Amino acid sequence: MNILFSHRMQKVSVLLFLAWVSFLFYAGIALFTSGFLLTRLELTNQSSCHEPPGPGPLPWGSHGKPGACWMPSRFSRVVLVLIDALRFDFAQPQQSHVPGEPPVSVPFLGKLGSLQRILESRPHHGRLYRSHVDPPTTTMQRLKALTTGSLPTFIDAGSNFASHAIVEDNLIQQLNRAGRRVVFMGDDTWRDLFPGAFSQAFFFSSFNVRDLHTVDNGILEHLYPTLDSGAWDVLIAHFLGVDHCGHKHGPHHPEMAKKLSQMDQVIQGLIERLENDTLLVVAGDHGMTTNGDHGGDSELEVSAALFLYSPTALFPGVPPEEPEVIPQVSLVPTLALLLGLPIPFGNTGEVVAEVFSGGSESFGPHSSALAHVSALHINAQQVSRFLHTYSAATQDLQVKELHRLQTLFSEASARYQRLLRDPPEAEAALGTLTAEFQQFLRGARALCIESWARFSLVRMAGGAALLAAACLLCLLASHLAVAPGFLFRPLLLIPVAWGLTWTILYAGVSATTGSKIDSVVLGAVAAGGSLLPFLWKAWVSWGSKRPLAPLLPVPRPVLILLLIRLATFFSDSFVVAEARAAPFLLGSLVLFLVAQLHWEGQLLPPKLLTRLGSSAPTAPPRHSGAHALWLGIGLLLFTRLAGLFHRCPEETPACRSSPWLSPLASMVGGRAKNLWYGACVGALVALLVVVRLWLRRYGNLKSPEPPVLFVRWGLPLMVLGTAAYWALASGAEEAPPRLRALVAGASAVLPRAVMGLAASGLMLLLWRPVTVLVKAGAATSRTRTILTPFSGPPTSQADLDYVVPQIYRHIQEEFQGRLERTKAQGPITVAAYQLGSVYSAAMVTALLLLAFPLLLLHVERVSLVFLLLFLQSFLLLHLLAAGTPVATPGPFTVLWQAVSAWVLMATQTFYSTGHQPVFSAIHWHAAFVGFPDGHGSSTWLPALLVGANTFASHLLFAVGCPLLLLWPFLCERPGPKRRQPLPGSESEARIRPEEEEEQEQEPLMEMRLRDAPNHFNAALLQLGLKYLFILGAQILACALAAFVLRRHLMVWKVFAPKFIFEAVGFIVSSVGLLLGIALVMRVDVAVSSWFKNLVLAQQR
C-alpha cells in the first residue's frame, strides 16, 4: 500500500510542479504588465464658476449675466445625438466620379443627406468636422474623452465592458452642479459611467451586437415626446444601430444604408423641432474598419464625423471645401463655454474657436476675433492650471518641455491682458495671440500624450528576468525529469518553503514600514523566492565546470527554428505578417521531420541505402517509406488549405481577407447561402465520422460504458443541435413575423443544449474513462493462472504494474482465440477488447467534446477549419510517431521537434479561425451565442464566451498535448515472437519451426506505459515542461520586444497588443495543459482500478 500511495503522490507532484512553474510565469507576466501598461493618475479636482481658471479679469459680458460663468452662455439647451461608429465618410455625399474612371457606388455614401442640405442652404448655421479620435477606439474610452476632455491610456481598453464610474471632472457633473436637467436615452454604458446623474434616463443593453434595432427603436419611442415636453436642458441620445450593423454585416452591406437613412430621418426631425436657443450636436464616438470592427488606431477607426447646427447664425463664414480636422476632445471645452459652464478640470482639448465669433458688435469692430482669443485664453488658463496641478502630484511630465510651455503661456497671457487694456492695438495683436494660445494648447496635449506612455523600467526588467528564469527552469528540469533516481517531492517542497519564507518577509517589512502591500509585487517576491534554490544549484553546477551540453538539450535545427520565430517578435512587420509566417515555419519543420526520417533510414529500404553508400538503419522502420512521405505531403496540403482562411491585418491594405470567415447571415444570395450551409453541416458530420471511425478502428466503440454510449448517441445530437442553430442564425432576418419569437427562443435554447450535452459528456468521461469491452468465456485450468509468480491478488502497486502486461497479453490471446487448443475446462474468465488505446481514446473523445461548444462560438464556415485542424493533428501525430521508438522499457520522451510543431499548429489555427492579436479583431458576437438578449449585469459570462472564442486553438492543442506522448505507442506494430508452449501434454507443446516464424507478438501499445509508472509520470512532467518552455520563450520574446521598443512608433498598435494576447494565450494554454495531463492521470488511475478488480475476480 505504501508503494501504491507513492505512485499516486507522484501524479499529484507532477501536477503541482507544473502548476508551480505556471505560477512563475504568471508572476513574471503580472510584474512586467504592471510596469508596461500603467494608467495615468486621475485627479479629482473640479472646476467651479467661483474659482476662475487663472488670474485676470474674465471676458467681456461674463459679469452679472444670468447663467454666465467663465464666459456668457450662448445656448440654453443642447441636443447631443451620438451615433456609435459614425465614420467620417458616412456623412459625406455621393461624390461625382473622377473623369476617366468608372463611378464607385458605396452603400453608405450620401445617406445622411440632411447634413449636406444644411451645409448648402444654410452655411452660417451648420458645420461638418472630421473628428480625430485618440486610440483606443472603444466606446467607453470615447465616452470618457467626450465628457472629460482627457486622454485614456492603453490599459483602459481592457475595461470596455466593465465600465466604472468616472471620478474626474466632466460635463455631466458640471451640468448637475449648475442645476441643468440632463435626460439620457440609449447605450447603458452611460449608467455605469454616470450613476444617478440623469434626471430621466432610458437605458438599453448595448452588448448584443447582432441586434440592430432594439436600442434605436427604444430611443425613437421616447425621443420626440421628451423633446416636445420641454422638461430638459440637455438631451443625449446614443444610437447603436450603425455600430452593430458594422459588427454584424460590415459597412458595405445594404443594411448599413438602411441604418444611415434611419439616422438621417432622426436628424431631420430634430432640426425641424429645434428652438433658437438650442444647439444640435451630431457626433460619432469612433469609426470602423472595412470589416466593421474598431478598437485600434487605423485611419478609418480614428476618423469620426462631428456636425454642429444652430437655428440662429453661428459661424461667420461658409464651410470650407474640405472639412477641418479637429481633435475629438475639442468638443468638451467648446460645449462647456457655449453653455456657460466651467471647463472640466482635466480637459486637454482646444476649443473650436470659430463658434465664438458670432457675438454682439457692441463691444467694438474686432469683437469676433476678440471672442476667438478670449475663448482660447480661458481654455489655455484651464490647461495651464491642470498641468501645474498634475506635475505637482506626479513626476510624469517632462520638466524641460513643461517649463517651455509655461513660459509661452505666461508671455501670451501678459500680451492678452495688455490687449484688454488697450483695445486699439487689437488688430495687430489678435492674430499673434491666437497662434500663441493654439501653440500652447497643442503643445500641452502632445506633452500629455507622450508622458502618459510612462513605464516602470524596474518592474519591466524584473518581470522579464522572472520569465527568463522560469524558462531556464523548464529547460533544465525537462532534461532532469527522465534521469534515473529523479525525485519529485523535494523538487517541489523546497521551492514552496522558500517562496513562503520570502512572502512572509515581504509582508513583515511592509507592515513595519506602514507601506501598502502590492499584490503584484507580493506574487513576484513569492515566485522569485521559490526560484532561489534552483538558481543557486544552477550556479554551483556551472561553477563546477560541468559540461554545458545538458543546458541546451534542444536539437540544433529546432533551436534555430525557434530562435528565428522569437526574433520575428522584435519586428512589427513580422508580427503583422505572423499569419503567413507561422504556416511557413510549420511547413519547414514538417520537411525537417521527413528529412530526419530519411537520415535515420526510415524512408528507403535498407538494401537501397546500402547501395547509395549510407549505413543501414539500426532498427526496423516503423512505417513504410511511402507511408511517411504521404503523411508529410498530406500535412503540407492541409496546412496550405487552412491558410486560405485568413483575416488581413489593417496594416496591409493590399491584402484581402478570406470571405469565408463572415457569417452566413451576411450573404445576400439564397442559393450560395444554402450551398455553404450544406458544406458547413457536411464538415460537422465528417468531423464526427472521422473520430468515430478512429475509435472503431481501435475497438473503443464496443464498450457499454456511459462515455461510449454518449459518443454513439450524444455526439450526433450535438451535431444536429449545432446544424439547427446555424440554420436559425443564418436565416433569422428572413423568418416570418409570426415565427420570430419561436426562432429567437430556439436560438437561445439550442446552443445551451449543445453546451450542456458537451458538459455532460465530459463529466461521464471523467467518471468512467476506461472504454473497454469485457467478455466472458471458457478459461483454462485454475493451475494455469496468468498471475505467476504471485499466488494471490497483488498487494502493492509494484505487483500490479508487473502483472498488468501479462494480463493484457493474456486478454489479447484469449480474445483472438489463441487458447482454443487448450482442452482443460476451468472457471469462467474474461477478455477485454483493445486496452492498448485506452488513454488516447479518452483524450480524443474529450477533445471532440470540447471542440463542439468552441465551434459553436465561431461563425459557421469555421467548421471547415476545425475539420482541417483534426486532420492536420492526426497526420502530424502519425508523422511524429514514425520516428519515435517505443520498444524500450523506459525512459519515455517526447522529441523537441514534436512539441515545437504542436505549438506552431496552435498558432496557425488561431489565425485560420479569423483571429488577429489586436483588439479590433475580437469576435464580440460570441458573447451572445445562447444569450441573444444579453447577460444583464453579468460581465464574467460574456468575457468567458469571448475568451473561449478567441483562444479556442490554444485550449484544444494544450489539452491534446499528451497525445504527443501517447501516439507513438498507439501506432506500435506487431513484432515477431517465438511461441512458448503452454503447460499440458507433450503433443500440445510441440510446435513446428515453420509455425514459430509465422507467429507474431501482439503489441502492448499504450500498456507499455503502465509497465514503468515512474517513467510514465516523468514523461508527462517532461512533456509539460517542454510545452511551457516554448510558450514561455514566446511570451519572454514579446516582453523583451515591448521593453526594448517601448518608444517605437508601433508599440501601442503592434507590440503591446501582441504581448497581451500572448500573455492571455499562455494562461489559457497552461490551464489546458494541466487539464490534459490530469485527464491522462485520471484514466491511469481508472485503469489501475479496473485491473485490480479484474485480478480479484480472476482469483475468485
Side-chain angles (χ1 to χ4, degrees):
M1 294 303 293
N2 291 333
I3 299 178
L4 178 62
F5 177 77
S6 175
H7 285 304
R8 294 202 173 183
M9 284 304 299
Q10 271 192 5
K11 294 179 173 59
V12 174
S13 298
V14 168
L15 289 175
L16 290 179
F17 188 81
L18 292 175
W20 170 60
V21 174
S22 300
F23 166 72
L24 298 179
F25 283 105
Y26 300 162
I29 291 171
L31 186 61
F32 184 89
T33 302
S34 66
F36 181 52
L37 302 178
L38 290 177
T39 57
R40 62 177 173 84
L41 177 65
E42 294 184 344
L43 300 179
T44 57
N45 305 59
Q46 296 177 348
S47 298
S48 171
C49 287
H50 306 293
E51 298 179 5
L58 291 171
W60 306 325
S62 59
H63 298 286
K65 267 197 170 186
C69 188
W70 293 354
M71 281 191 75
S73 62
R74 184 75 186 275
F75 295 96
S76 301
R77 294 181 171 184
V78 168
V79 176
L80 173 59
V81 178
L82 194 63
I83 302 177
D84 209 292
L86 183 64
R87 205 167 72 189
F88 173 73
D89 53 353
F90 290 179
Q92 287 185 308
Q94 190 81 25
Q95 300 289 342
S96 59
H97 69 278
V98 179
E101 295 184 5
V104 179
S105 177
V106 183
F108 55 76
L109 287 181
K111 296 301 181 286
L112 297 180
S114 58
L115 305 185
Q116 191 63 27
R117 288 192 295 270
I118 290 293
L119 295 176
E120 293 175 354
S121 62
R122 310 182 71 183
H124 297 282
H125 295 253
R127 192 71 86 242
L128 177 65
Y129 297 96
R130 183 192 291 265
S131 177
H132 183 80
V133 178
D134 297 303
T137 51
T138 47
T139 297
M140 190 199 76
Q141 282 66 41
R142 295 300 91 227
L143 296 183
K144 284 185 175 181
L146 283 168
T147 55
T148 64
S150 61
L151 298 170
T153 51
F154 181 85
I155 200 172
D156 288 339
S159 56
N160 188 37
F161 295 99
S163 309
H164 301 286
I166 295 178
V167 298
E168 291 182 289
D169 194 12
N170 57 79
L171 282 176
I172 305 300
Q173 291 181 3
Q174 292 293 343
L175 288 166
N176 284 328
R177 288 195 205 98
R180 309 289 182 91
R181 297 164 297 176
V182 184
V183 178
F184 176 82
M185 51 191 70
D187 186 350
D188 61 351
T189 304
W190 291 73
R191 175 174 51 195
D192 299 324
L193 295 176
F194 307 102
F198 304 109
S199 59
Q200 190 178 14
F202 306 95
F203 296 112
F204 303 94
S205 177
S206 62
F207 201 38
N208 190 355
V209 294
R210 295 191 175 189
D211 185 358
L212 308 186
H213 308 294
T214 299
V215 177
D216 293 358
N217 292 341
I219 294 174
L220 294 177
E221 181 182 349
H222 301 283
L223 179 60
Y224 298 120
T226 303
L227 189 71
D228 297 336
S229 70
W232 56 276
D233 296 304
V234 175
L235 177 59
I236 304 174
H238 188 165
F239 291 90
L240 291 175
V242 172
D243 177 69
H244 288 187
C245 183
H247 285 297
K248 185 176 182 179
H249 300 296
H252 294 85
H253 196 274
E255 282 294 329
M256 182 61 76
K258 296 179 183 179
K259 262 298 158 190
L260 291 174
S261 298
Q262 182 188 31
M263 294 298 100
D264 185 62
Q265 295 175 7
V266 172
I267 296 171
Q268 185 63 40
L270 290 173
I271 290 175
E272 295 172 355
R273 290 172 169 82
L274 287 185
E275 298 180 0
N276 289 339
D277 64 342
T278 305
L279 174 68
L280 173 64
V281 180
V282 180
D285 58 343
H286 51 74
M288 66 172 65
T289 65
T290 55
N291 296 322
D293 299 319
H294 57 89
D297 61 351
S298 67
E299 181 61 30
L300 293 177
E301 292 172 276
V302 301
S303 179
L306 174 63
F307 178 76
L308 303 180
Y309 170 78
S310 170
T312 59
L314 182 61
F315 301 94
V318 297
E321 292 185 5
E322 194 66 29
E324 181 184 355
V325 180
I326 63 172
Q328 186 184 57
V329 291
S330 297
L331 185 62
V332 175
T334 304
L335 285 181
L337 295 183
L338 288 176
L339 290 172
L341 298 173
I343 300 176
F345 189 90
N347 166 71
T348 60
E350 173 191 341
V351 293
V352 182
E354 65 176 331
V355 301
F356 298 95
S357 61
S360 173
E361 297 292 333
S362 59
F363 296 101
H366 308 293
S367 62
S368 176
L370 191 55
H372 275 167
V373 177
S374 297
L376 287 170
H377 177 246
I378 291 177
N379 191 186
Q381 282 184 314
Q382 170 264 319
V383 172
S384 176
R385 181 184 64 178
F386 168 72
L387 292 179
H388 177 76
T389 307
Y390 191 88
S391 60
T394 67
Q395 304 299 323
D396 294 341
L397 303 180
Q398 298 180 18
V399 178
K400 185 177 180 180
E401 179 65 13
L402 181 62
H403 178 72
R404 186 189 71 82
L405 290 173
Q406 293 291 8
T407 302
L408 175 63
F409 168 72
S410 299
E411 294 175 354
S413 183
R415 192 174 295 110
Y416 173 77
Q417 298 300 333
R418 289 195 300 270
L419 175 66
L420 294 181
R421 292 192 298 267
D422 191 7
E425 298 182 2
E427 184 175 2
L430 283 176
T432 303
L433 280 175
T434 299
E436 288 180 348
F437 283 135
Q438 288 179 339
Q439 183 183 357
F440 167 76
L441 289 169
R442 293 168 188 176
R445 188 167 181 271
L447 173 64
C448 292
I449 291 175
E450 182 179 0
S451 299
W452 286 339
R454 60 192 178 99
F455 308 99
S456 174
L457 298 183
V458 175
R459 291 196 174 205
M460 293 175 69
L466 197 53
L467 290 173
C471 289
L472 182 60
L473 170 64
C474 290
L475 191 63
L476 296 184
S478 65
H479 178 72
L480 298 174
V482 294
F486 179 76
L487 299 177
F488 291 87
R489 198 177 305 173
L491 195 66
L492 181 65
L493 294 180
I494 296 176
V496 169
W498 275 79
L500 289 175
T501 302
W502 280 96
T503 301
I504 294 173
L505 287 175
Y506 170 75
V509 171
S510 300
T512 303
T513 58
S515 58
K516 183 180 178 181
I517 297 179
D518 190 331
S519 58
V520 173
V521 177
L522 182 66
V525 168
S530 63
L531 269 172
L532 284 179
F534 158 75
L535 294 176
W536 173 254
K537 287 185 178 180
W539 175 263
V540 171
S541 300
W542 180 78
S544 61
K545 297 182 180 180
R546 294 183 181 180
L548 296 179
L551 295 178
L552 291 175
V554 187
R556 186 172 300 176
V558 178
L559 181 61
I560 293 174
L561 198 67
L562 180 61
L563 291 177
I564 292 175
R565 171 161 169 75
L566 299 182
T568 60
F569 292 153
F570 289 81
S571 168
D572 58 320
S573 300
F574 275 99
V575 172
V576 170
E578 189 181 18
R580 289 178 294 168
F584 171 77
L585 292 176
L586 178 60
S588 302
L589 191 55
V590 170
L591 293 177
F592 166 73
L593 291 172
V594 175
Q596 187 181 38
L597 290 177
H598 167 67
W599 295 332
E600 295 175 354
Q602 301 290 329
L603 294 185
L604 298 177
K607 294 182 180 179
L608 182 57
L609 283 175
T610 305
R611 293 176 184 175
L612 294 176
S614 301
S615 58
T618 57
R622 298 281 307 279
H623 300 277
S624 66
H627 175 80
L629 281 176
W630 281 115
L631 287 176
I633 294 173
L635 188 54
L636 292 175
L637 175 63
F638 285 138
T639 302
R640 183 69 185 92
L641 290 176
L644 297 178
F645 295 82
H646 66 280
R647 178 172 183 166
C648 295
E650 60 193 27
E651 294 84 3
T652 56
C655 175
R656 298 190 64 181
S657 298
S658 170
W660 305 329
L661 292 175
S662 59
L664 293 180
S666 64
M667 298 185 67
V668 179
R671 184 177 181 182
K673 181 188 294 186
N674 294 335
L675 290 175
W676 271 111
Y677 175 76
C680 296
V681 175
L684 277 181
V685 175
L687 180 60
L688 176 62
V689 169
V690 166
V691 174
R692 288 192 59 169
L693 287 177
W694 181 87
L695 291 172
R696 184 184 299 276
R697 176 189 174 187
Y698 288 99
N700 297 104
L701 275 183
K702 298 179 180 296
S703 171
E705 294 292 337
V708 177
L709 297 178
F710 187 88
V711 170
R712 290 179 179 177
W713 306 107
L715 286 178
L717 287 177
M718 293 171 65
V719 171
L720 184 62
T722 303
Y725 171 71
W726 284 349
L728 294 177
S730 60
E733 301 292 336
E734 306 167 3
R738 65 178 182 275
L739 296 179
R740 288 185 178 176
L742 179 62
V743 170
S747 298
V749 171
L750 286 174
R752 299 184 190 183
V754 172
M755 294 179 184
L757 284 173
S760 302
L762 289 173
M763 294 301 295
L764 289 175
L765 188 63
L766 291 175
W767 176 45
R768 301 289 291 273
V770 180
T771 54
V772 176
L773 175 64
V774 180
K775 290 186 176 181
T780 57
S781 173
R782 183 180 299 270
T783 59
R784 294 175 52 243
T785 174
I786 60 174
L787 297 179
T788 56
F790 300 104
S791 59
T795 59
S796 68
Q797 182 69 26
D799 296 349
L800 188 60
D801 293 331
Y802 179 82
V803 299
V804 160
Q806 300 181 52
I807 297 174
Y808 177 66
R809 187 161 297 161
H810 177 81
I811 287 172
Q812 287 181 320
E813 294 174 352
E814 181 78 22
F815 184 78
Q816 296 178 8
R818 294 193 175 184
L819 298 182
E820 292 180 356
R821 300 181 185 180
T822 305
K823 298 180 180 180
Q825 300 296 322
I828 298 297
T829 186
V830 296
Y833 193 69
Q834 290 299 348
L835 268 168
S837 59
V838 64
Y839 298 103
S840 299
M843 291 297 304
V844 172
T845 303
L847 289 174
L848 190 63
L849 292 173
L850 275 176
F852 273 102
L854 293 176
L855 176 58
L856 203 62
L857 298 176
H858 290 77
V859 297
E860 299 88 345
R861 286 179 277 191
V862 173
S863 59
L864 300 171
V865 179
F866 271 64
L867 177 61
L868 290 174
L869 180 156
F870 271 79
L871 295 177
Q872 269 186 289
S873 303
F874 283 141
L875 291 178
L876 178 63
L877 289 169
H878 277 285
L879 183 62
L880 294 170
T884 306
V886 297
T888 57
F892 312 117
T893 186
V894 176
L895 302 178
W896 280 100
Q897 48 266 40
V899 183
S900 302
W902 200 251
V903 174
L904 280 174
M905 193 174 290
T907 302
Q908 182 220 6
T909 306
F910 171 80
Y911 289 104
S912 297
T913 49
H915 296 98
Q916 286 282 335
V918 290
F919 293 107
S920 59
I922 294 177
H923 300 172
W924 300 113
H925 65 83
F928 302 98
V929 175
F931 302 89
D933 298 326
H935 303 268
S937 59
S938 173
T939 56
W940 67 267
L941 184 55
L944 180 64
L945 294 175
V946 173
N949 169 280
T950 305
F951 299 101
S953 61
H954 297 73
L955 181 61
L956 287 174
F957 279 92
V959 172
C961 187
L963 290 175
L964 295 173
L965 173 64
L966 302 173
W967 213 265
F969 297 91
L970 186 70
C971 297
E972 183 183 358
R973 287 190 168 191
K977 163 193 169 182
R978 289 180 61 89
R979 181 169 179 175
Q980 300 295 329
L982 296 174
S985 62
E986 293 182 2
S987 61
E988 292 175 345
R990 296 191 187 100
I991 299 178
R992 296 192 307 269
E994 302 87 65
E995 291 180 345
E996 291 185 17
E997 297 298 329
E998 295 175 358
Q999 298 300 324
E1000 287 185 342
Q1001 175 182 340
E1002 287 296 324
L1004 289 178
M1005 300 166 68
E1006 292 175 355
M1007 286 298 102
R1008 290 189 182 276
L1009 295 168
R1010 292 199 48 81
D1011 199 15
N1014 290 333
H1015 292 310
F1016 189 15
N1017 293 328
L1020 288 174
L1021 176 61
Q1022 184 193 54
L1023 173 63
L1025 291 172
K1026 288 182 176 180
Y1027 199 75
L1028 290 177
F1029 168 76
I1030 294 181
L1031 295 176
Q1034 292 181 178
I1035 187 63
L1036 174 61
C1038 289
L1040 292 177
F1043 182 85
V1044 175
L1045 305 173
R1046 60 187 179 276
R1047 295 298 180 186
H1048 192 277
L1049 178 65
M1050 305 294 287
V1051 62
W1052 301 118
K1053 187 177 183 64
V1054 174
F1055 297 111
K1058 177 63 176 174
F1059 168 75
I1060 293 176
F1061 274 78
E1062 283 291 339
V1064 179
F1066 177 88
I1067 295 173
V1068 173
S1069 298
S1070 60
V1071 173
L1073 177 68
L1074 291 173
L1075 293 177
I1077 293 178
L1079 176 60
V1080 173
M1081 292 181 174
R1082 171 70 185 99
V1083 176
D1084 190 56
V1085 172
V1087 169
S1088 296
S1089 300
W1090 187 88
F1091 271 119
K1092 188 173 183 179
N1093 295 332
L1094 179 64
V1095 171
L1096 293 176
Q1098 187 77 9
Q1099 286 300 308
R1100 289 194 296 268

